[in-house]
Amino acid sequence: MNRSSFAVMVGLLLLCHLVVAAEPVRPNIICILSDDMGFSDLGCYGGEIQTPNLDALGTGGVRFTQFYNTARCCPTRASLLTGLYPHQAGVGHMTNDNGLAGYRGELNRNCVTIAEVLKGAGYATYMTGKWHVTRNDTANADDSAWPLQRGFDKFYGTVRGGGSFYDPTALCRQNTFITPVNDSEYQPETFYYTDAISDNAVKYLQQHEQESADRPFFLYVAYTAAHWPMHALEKDIAKYRGKYDTGYEAIRKARFERMQKLGLIAEDAQLTTEPDAWSKVTDKAWEARCMEVYAAMVDNMDAGIGRIVEQLKKNHQWDNTLILFLQDNGGCAEGVGRQSNAKAAAKLQPLGRDELQLRGAPPMQTRDGRQVRTGPGVMPGPADTFIGYGRDWARVSNTPFREFKHWTHEGGISTPLIAHWPQGIAPAAQGKLYRESGHLIDIMATCVDLSGASYPELQNEQTIKPMEGKSLRPAFSNLPLTAEPRAIFWEHEGNRAIREGAWKLVAKEGQPWELYDIAVDRTELNNLAAQHPDRVKDMAAKWEAYAARADVLPLGGWRGRITSSELNKDRRFVLKAGEKLSKQQAPAFVGKTLSITATFDTGKARNGVLVAHGGSLQGYALHLVEGKPTFSLRTTEGLRRISGPDAIEGAHLVAVKVQQDGSVSLSIDDKIVASSKAGPMPVMPAEGVDIGEDLGGTVGDYKSPNTFDGQIDSVVIELE
């Protein structure tokens, strides 16, 4: 070999060595999830709450402006952990078992968690905080869907959902229930759950450095802040005294303006419906205190994240750790704890050292034996209070979007996502806003991509559903996630949506589809459905296909189904205005001829429901439409209706008969005025019967509750 050839070979070997050396070491991954927070609460997303540690992560990383969760805590956790849509993982609603594949209330065995996948690739796996993806959350229950059995090496937290921050319900270390006073590994001077989640996360990082420093780790930190109750330490509340005395509108307007300056929303964006006027609030001190405590809860969480960051730096793991921060749903408008429970309780006894706090909401007591208080005038913060911050402050949290937790409009599903990774985010992308849409399903795909792990097709002899998401790695270089716009889907409690590119199709339960161009109307104020019927039809068809393949159907399945043994065996029901029957009490009409007779006086009413049985997927309703008696029948094939030819006034007897073959006749005062082949109805609805209104999911193409303001003498339902 001549010198020239030898030099070339040496050069090539050196180049190969440099290429290999340039391959990044697999990153540690920390996923941090907060609870019941709105899009604008963080400082780096426009809020006035002090979040310097998260703001610093945003400044040094990437902030996503259009990232999405699933609108509720349990489904979000299931989707984040598995990379699937929540129904596919078995948690389409909450942790109750409704007997349907998408609604079992527990992670199924056809999914794998991030911890299971990364553990297989040599990662150490740790979790602190809220699990809430199992229906088995009591002592001696089946723990097969608890963290340690789903891939985590170490766990400290709560297997259940919300509860006291001073005495959490279902608190565990590993697989063992503990209490704040009998936990031998963690005894702070003052127990506060947010601190406990942060401190135990720091402890796991310290232990990792001592025990497994040669391995990368995955750490899942799932805070309960800022979920009700509004519990915070006085030292944190003190920072915010007087901060919210100006009221809802002023705080919301200031956030809106900051968001525009930051570029999070367009300069010509419009605010949605205002909160109730602060000037009309009778107890301003109480309302302001609710938000002061909420802010203190977020502040404390941010301080804990700062301690996690500090420990990473001490361990020399900061540069190669990807930190992801996001929220499980939008601001919470639930009225929990906002009504007084001032009625004196029986004499209470302190809980023993090993005695578990069994309740997560009132009625309950503190560990030292005091009654927990709720309602106006009870200043939130201490352990003996249990109060939510209410709809109007939730609207502030969700600035500038519509709706709240539960709904699939932007206020329910929009979350900040902060991604920070010094070695992995390109300098040109650091501190920038990323405007392409993403979803929780992308977190698993990102972890698999960055870790080099193999996502399994089979695990424990069970077929594993394929990942649904896309890796976020391109976003770390400010590149598109996909070559073509992809469709992303939602369903929760009948609220549903699909986003494809800039277009979003969305509907509330039982309501028609709305269409928005998110590129110019992120606040969903200009419904374009009427202008683009073909687009609505195309996107709705895609949503239906998703719902069919992803275990979303039946659409009312989240309410549960009943077995034949639970069905009411009665054949005749005589009902009055305002009466209701549960799904178990309702007429079991499947396979029978159904007769409905309503005796009523219209008075001045031109519209309204006389009787409704069912909801937005299955059911029937007899109602007035501009004075015309109308029978609506809804099945999986759609909505059919027949109406009388003329409007009626005064006292009448209107009857409907639905034969087993689906033939329907409508009579007014014993005279048949319309007939049609509209049925049959092969499935019992998930909802019950309402007389005089239709609550919840609606059967007909009207808005709930569509109350009938005339006089209903009786509604008789008979089965033959």
Side-chain angles (χ1 to χ4, degrees):
M1 180 182 296
N2 59 40
R3 290 184 179 181
S4 176
S5 299
F6 180 76
V8 169
M9 181 173 289
V10 170
L12 289 171
L13 288 171
L14 180 60
L15 179 61
C16 290
H17 172 75
L18 290 173
V19 169
V20 171
E23 278 293 313
V25 178
R26 294 183 299 167
N28 307 306
I29 301 171
I30 300 179
C31 186
I32 303 173
L33 185 69
S34 71
D35 203 342
D36 275 19
M37 287 177 60
F39 187 74
S40 69
D41 282 326
L42 302 182
C44 58
Y45 278 81
E48 70 294 325
I49 301 174
Q50 298 174 33
T51 54
N53 295 293
L54 284 166
D55 295 351
L57 293 176
T59 301
V62 176
R63 280 173 294 156
F64 289 68
T65 66
Q66 298 186 53
F67 204 81
Y68 291 108
N69 51 44
T70 70
R72 194 78 176 277
C73 50
C74 297
T76 281
R77 289 157 211 282
S79 189
L80 184 153
L81 283 164
T82 65
L84 304 176
Y85 287 106
H87 308 76
Q88 294 174 302
V91 192
H93 190 237
M94 299 294 282
T95 54
N96 46 305
D97 186 356
N98 290 328
L100 298 161
Y103 305 92
R104 299 307 306 268
E106 185 163 87
L107 292 183
N108 59 40
R109 286 294 169 179
N110 299 115
C111 67
V112 285
T113 68
I114 295 173
E116 288 173 308
V117 174
L118 267 58
K119 190 172 184 177
Y123 274 65
T125 55
Y126 312 115
M127 179 186 171
T128 64
K130 174 177 171 179
W131 184 238
H132 209 197
V133 283
T134 177
R135 59 181 180 265
N136 294 300
D137 56 11
T138 57
N140 302 316
D142 175 9
D143 61 8
S144 60
W146 288 22
L148 264 61
Q149 286 67 251
R150 296 310 305 251
F152 287 96
D153 296 322
K154 296 181 181 181
F155 169 63
Y156 171 88
T158 43
V159 292
R160 201 177 294 179
S164 171
F165 283 71
Y166 300 97
D167 190 15
T169 309
L171 182 65
C172 289
R173 186 173 294 283
Q174 300 296 83
N175 283 328
T176 303
F177 280 112
I178 57 173
T179 71
V181 293
N182 75 4
D183 181 10
S184 60
E185 296 187 34
Y186 182 69
Q187 283 297 315
E189 185 175 336
T190 300
F191 181 93
Y192 180 65
Y193 190 34
T194 305
D195 279 338
I197 292 170
S198 303
D199 293 345
N200 279 274
V202 169
K203 176 182 176 181
Y204 287 158
L205 293 178
Q206 293 169 340
Q207 291 175 344
H208 180 82
E209 183 69 7
Q210 297 162 3
E211 302 166 358
S212 310
D214 58 332
R215 300 168 61 196
F217 65 80
F218 171 66
L219 171 61
Y220 175 38
V221 183
Y223 288 103
T224 53
H227 193 291
W228 46 258
M230 300 297 99
H231 278 170
L233 302 172
E234 281 299 324
K235 68 178 180 62
D236 296 322
I237 301 171
K239 300 179 188 179
Y240 297 94
R241 285 210 180 91
K243 186 83 173 179
Y244 298 100
D245 289 355
T246 54
Y248 319 121
E249 304 101 309
I251 301 297
R252 190 167 185 249
K253 182 182 178 185
R255 287 191 179 195
F256 183 65
E257 291 173 354
R258 281 193 296 271
M259 295 175 81
Q260 289 177 312
K261 289 179 181 177
L262 289 168
L264 291 161
I265 54 174
E267 291 186 1
D268 59 353
Q270 293 179 291
L271 267 171
T272 52
T273 306
E274 287 288 344
D276 290 340
W278 185 252
S279 60
K280 295 181 181 179
V281 174
T282 55
D283 194 344
K284 291 183 175 62
W286 183 67
E287 282 288 349
R289 170 77 174 195
C290 285
M291 191 60 190
E292 290 171 5
V293 177
Y294 178 91
M297 296 168 76
V298 177
D299 186 301
N300 183 283
M301 177 189 69
D302 181 81
I305 292 170
R307 297 198 295 278
I308 293 172
V309 166
E310 183 181 356
Q311 188 62 48
L312 286 173
K313 292 178 178 177
K314 287 181 180 178
N315 292 356
H316 306 290
Q317 296 165 330
W318 169 248
D319 288 340
N320 197 35
T321 297
L322 169 63
I323 299 176
L324 299 169
F325 173 88
L326 66 165
Q327 298 162 187
D328 68 345
N329 46 248
C332 176
E334 296 165 352
V336 174
R338 295 182 67 82
Q339 299 295 321
S340 176
N341 68 339
K343 183 179 178 181
K347 188 174 181 180
L348 301 172
Q349 298 295 324
L351 298 177
R353 180 176 180 274
D354 300 323
E355 193 172 354
L356 303 177
Q357 179 68 264
L358 297 178
R359 298 189 63 89
M364 60 188 291
Q365 67 174 74
T366 62
R367 180 153 288 277
D368 58 5
R370 290 171 291 156
Q371 179 186 359
V372 169
R373 301 169 295 138
T374 66
V378 175
M379 292 301 186
D384 65 342
T385 65
F386 203 104
I387 295 163
Y389 76 158
R391 177 174 289 260
D392 289 314
W393 286 123
R395 200 179 298 280
V396 173
S397 285
N398 285 341
T399 304
F401 301 135
R402 281 178 61 187
E403 302 306 338
F404 313 92
K405 170 184 176 180
H406 296 267
W407 287 275
T408 55
H409 286 77
E410 293 291 283
I413 59 176
S414 296
T415 173
L417 174 65
I418 298 172
H420 185 280
W421 179 19
Q423 285 186 7
I425 294 178
Q430 292 177 8
K432 297 295 182 8
L433 299 177
Y434 188 76
R435 302 186 186 280
E436 191 172 331
S437 59
H439 188 280
L440 289 164
I441 54 176
D442 300 329
I443 303 298
M444 168 70 90
T446 304
C447 292
V448 170
D449 179 17
L450 299 179
S451 68
S454 297
Y455 184 89
E457 296 181 0
L458 199 70
Q459 180 118 329
N460 298 323
E461 300 182 353
Q462 298 289 325
T463 301
I464 303 302
K465 296 176 182 178
M467 285 186 294
E468 293 279 348
K470 301 293 182 183
S471 174
L472 299 175
R473 187 200 287 254
F476 303 159
S477 298
N478 208 23
L479 298 172
L481 297 184
T482 55
E484 298 292 335
R486 59 169 173 162
I488 305 171
F489 304 95
W490 293 265
E491 189 282 332
H492 185 66
E493 295 183 338
N495 306 305
R496 55 211 186 276
I498 169 177
R499 177 159 175 186
E500 191 172 33
W503 291 100
K504 181 181 176 187
L505 195 68
V506 60
K508 293 183 178 180
E509 185 189 26
Q511 302 301 319
W513 288 111
E514 305 164 14
L515 179 68
Y516 299 99
D517 182 352
I518 297 298
V520 296
D521 182 24
R522 183 84 191 274
T523 47
E524 300 171 308
L525 294 174
N526 184 24
N527 182 5
L528 302 175
Q531 290 97 305
H532 299 278
D534 290 343
R535 185 176 293 279
V536 171
K537 183 177 179 181
D538 176 66
M539 293 180 72
K542 290 177 179 176
W543 187 92
E544 293 286 350
Y546 144 78
R549 74 170 177 81
D551 296 327
V552 174
L553 302 180
L555 196 53
W558 62 277
R559 290 192 173 91
R561 67 179 182 182
I562 56 177
T563 64
S564 58
S565 63
E566 296 175 299
L567 293 172
N568 194 330
K569 302 301 192 293
D570 293 343
R571 295 297 182 96
R572 191 169 191 271
F573 303 78
V574 181
L575 304 168
K576 302 293 184 183
E579 284 196 71
K580 303 180 189 309
L581 299 177
S582 69
K583 60 187 178 184
Q584 288 89 353
Q585 298 169 324
F589 57 75
V590 174
K592 303 178 182 70
T593 295
L594 170 70
S595 298
I596 307 164
T597 304
T599 306
F600 61 95
D601 191 316
T602 63
K604 296 181 180 180
R606 298 273 294 167
N607 296 281
V609 168
L610 299 168
V611 55
H613 180 188
S616 55
L617 186 66
Q618 305 275 356
Y620 60 83
L622 178 59
H623 54 111
L624 292 188
V625 179
E626 296 301 324
K628 293 182 180 180
T630 302
F631 182 71
S632 291
L633 181 67
R634 188 178 290 275
T635 70
T636 52
E637 295 181 359
L639 176 67
R640 296 183 176 89
R641 70 181 198 177
I642 62 172
S643 298
D646 303 306
I648 61 174
E649 294 182 354
H652 291 279
L653 184 151
V654 173
V656 173
K657 193 163 193 173
V658 185
Q659 305 284 355
Q660 292 181 44
D661 66 356
S663 301
V664 180
S665 62
L666 174 68
S667 302
I668 301 176
D669 300 325
D670 295 324
K671 180 181 178 182
I672 295 178
V673 296
S675 60
S676 175
K677 183 87 169 185
M681 297 181 286
V683 179
M684 279 288 290
E687 301 86 352
V689 174
D690 293 320
I691 304 297
E693 60 188 353
D694 188 356
L695 298 172
T698 54
V699 176
D701 55 356
Y702 46 74
K703 292 185 178 181
S704 179
N706 197 20
T707 303
F708 178 70
D709 291 327
Q711 177 182 325
I712 298 176
D713 295 323
S714 69
V715 173
V716 179
I717 302 174
E718 295 181 281
L719 305 175
E720 300 173 15

